[in-house]
Amino acid sequence: MKAIGALEVLAALGLILPPLVGVAEGLAPSAATAIAALMAGAAVVHGRRGELQMIVVNAALLTLTAVMAWGRFGPYAF
């Protein structure tokens, strides 16, 4: 659990710091993609444990990060 929490913190820093500083801007969409994959895995784990309310949170975060990754990697990247 501590390793997953550390991965989430590192991914959040990867979303925020590169665009803020202006260095390695390709890291932000990569971090968004990693968080989307992490949330998909978390939804599976919560489903197996019967924690259905947490799946809604995972789905919302997955959607937000997927939109961000699409916005950064997509044909009209902002």
Side-chain angles (χ1 to χ4, degrees), residues 8 15 31-40 42 46 54-69:
E8 288 179 358
L15 284 175
T33 305
I35 291 176
L38 187 66
M39 288 301 116
H46 286 301
M54 293 304 296
I55 294 175
V56 175
V57 174
N58 293 133
L61 291 172
L62 176 100
T63 303
L64 289 172
T65 56
V67 167
M68 183 183 172

Side-chain angles (χ1 to χ4, degrees), residues 27-56:
L27 185 61
S30 299
T33 305
I35 291 176
L38 187 66
M39 288 301 116
V44 170
V45 170
H46 286 301
R48 287 183 182 174
R49 294 178 71 182
E51 301 168 346
L52 300 178
Q53 292 177 344
M54 293 304 296
I55 294 175
V56 175

